[in-house]
Amino acid sequence: MQVTIPLHALICTPDPEAQLALQFFAQNHPAIAGIRRVDTWAETLGAAARSELIFLDPRIIPSPEALNQIAPGASVILLAGDPHDCRRFRGTRARSCLLTPVTWESFQWTMRSVQPMYAKETA
């Protein structure tokens, strides 16, 4: 039997609408145990070690290579208003990309894609 480990989410975006939507969706998702919001890249780096999911606006990332500073155990999900922002981060630590405005359906799809990484087998 597979059980999903409770996930801690970190949200970093200057877009208040995306921030509120993500916070609401995360609070209503059974796999997410905690949510933290930060405002800057430096705060993201400081809080990333305690998060399995990082919802990150590409506008605050200094460069695509900067994602290598985030611990390998975290899944980075970009929050982009333009698909070109997602393409710029191909081949980096970004696991997925959510286009804004974030919908419940797109959030659920993203969660289904990352949850297997955080499941453990139980007897």
Side-chain angles (χ1 to χ4, degrees):
M1 176 182 187
Q2 270 195 349
V3 176
T4 302
I5 298 167
L7 305 174
H8 298 88
L10 181 65
I11 300 169
C12 185
T13 178
D15 179 344
E17 183 180 320
Q19 189 178 70
L20 286 173
L22 277 172
Q23 187 168 347
F24 177 77
F25 297 153
Q27 287 172 338
N28 290 291
H29 196 280
I32 297 181
I35 306 156
R36 182 170 177 192
R37 292 185 332 205
V38 295
D39 295 318
T40 66
W41 176 246
E43 289 175 304
T44 298
L45 291 177
R50 297 177 304 281
S51 305
E52 290 81 27
L53 300 174
I54 301 173
F55 295 95
L56 188 56
D57 193 307
R59 295 175 290 183
I60 68 140
I61 305 169
S63 71
E65 297 77 26
L67 288 179
N68 293 330
Q69 297 173 10
I70 294 175
S75 290
V76 176
I77 300 158
L78 298 177
L79 300 169
D82 183 343
H84 294 292
D85 288 336
C86 299
R87 288 187 199 108
R88 196 167 60 105
F89 287 87
R90 278 193 184 142
T92 68
R93 295 252 355 275
R95 172 136 174 99
S96 186
C97 188
L98 273 172
L99 293 178
T100 57
V102 179
T103 65
W104 176 241
E105 292 78 17
S106 63
F107 178 81
Q108 287 181 307
W109 183 89
T110 299
M111 289 301 298
R112 281 192 299 275
S113 72
V114 298
Q115 278 181 283
M117 291 177 54
Y118 301 104
K120 64 179 179 177
E121 294 290 329
T122 61

